[in-house]
Amino acid sequence: MSFFNLFKKKKSKDVAKDRLMMMLAYERANTKLENLEEMKKELIAVVKKYVNIKDIAIKTNSNQNIETLEVEIILDK
Amino acid sequence: MSFFNLFKKKKSKDVAKDRLMMMLAYERANTKLENLEEMKKELIAVVKKYVNIKDIAIKTNSNQNIETLEVEIILDK
């Protein structure tokens, strides 16, 4: 399943909303990315700069050598 | 399937690599996000600032009211 189809499946259930999702995934093989947390914060700040936020949900996940960040934003009109 | 599992499935096939994926998805219901292209460029610039890039693949997709951006980066040691 592609990311595009995954997002389509997660479409707004009831009323269609203006929605933005940003996801970051880091697969570590050899080197640890020192400033990953800082980069995550800066990416979220960029998104906040461009959109009016009605609701925001931030989810992080890490397992063995994979770390993910999921940011789901419901946009305000 | 969650994004985390989707990313795990897309793991480096042969040799594990330090890999970063960023995905952005925008579902438009009512209003068009004027500066979406600018935001995409700025997000990519932020990532480029924090990591050494060995290889980068950028894929965009749009269909009806959904637009997605997928950026896959193989990190340099």
Side-chain angles (χ1 to χ4, degrees):
Chain A
M1 177 188 290
S2 76
F3 164 63
F4 186 80
N5 294 328
L6 174 69
F7 182 72
K8 259 174 57 173
K9 266 189 87 177
K10 284 186 164 206
K11 255 170 84 92
S12 320
K13 303 276 179 307
D14 32 33
V15 174
K17 297 179 197 115
D18 287 304
R19 202 166 57 105
L20 189 74
M21 274 189 91
M22 177 174 66
M23 286 165 260
L24 194 75
Y26 170 51
E27 178 189 13
R28 189 178 56 249
N30 313 303
T31 44
K32 178 144 177 52
L33 201 52
E34 290 314 323
N35 37 32
L36 187 58
E37 292 313 311
E38 227 178 293
M39 181 170 70
K40 287 178 185 175
K41 283 182 195 138
E42 194 164 336
L43 289 170
I44 292 170
V46 165
V47 172
K48 284 183 173 178
K49 196 172 89 174
Y50 280 93
V51 299
N52 298 320
I53 296 174
K54 186 172 177 185
D55 200 9
I56 183 167
I58 298 175
K59 213 168 49 175
T60 56
N61 198 328
S62 74
N63 167 340
Q64 294 161 343
N65 65 332
I66 292 180
E67 285 186 52
T68 60
L69 163 73
E70 284 183 50
V71 179
E72 183 160 1
I73 296 171
I74 304 298
L75 305 183
D76 216 352
K77 283 178 198 97
Chain B
M1 178 189 292
S2 76
F3 163 63
F4 186 80
N5 294 329
L6 174 68
F7 181 71
K8 258 175 57 173
K9 264 189 86 178
K10 284 185 163 211
K11 258 172 81 101
S12 320
K13 303 277 177 311
D14 32 33
V15 172
K17 298 181 195 114
D18 287 304
R19 202 165 57 105
L20 188 74
M21 275 189 92
M22 177 174 66
M23 286 164 259
L24 193 75
Y26 170 51
E27 179 189 13
R28 189 177 57 247
N30 311 304
T31 44
K32 178 145 176 53
L33 201 51
E34 289 314 323
N35 39 30
L36 187 59
E37 291 313 311
E38 226 178 291
M39 183 169 69
K40 286 178 187 176
K41 281 181 195 139
E42 194 164 335
L43 290 170
I44 292 171
V46 166
V47 172
K48 283 182 172 178
K49 196 172 86 174
Y50 280 92
V51 300
N52 298 320
I53 296 175
K54 186 172 180 185
D55 200 10
I56 182 167
I58 297 175
K59 215 167 51 174
T60 57
N61 197 330
S62 73
N63 165 342
Q64 293 161 344
N65 65 330
I66 292 180
E67 283 186 55
T68 60
L69 164 72
E70 285 184 48
V71 179
E72 183 161 1
I73 295 171
I74 305 298
L75 306 182
D76 216 352
K77 285 179 195 90

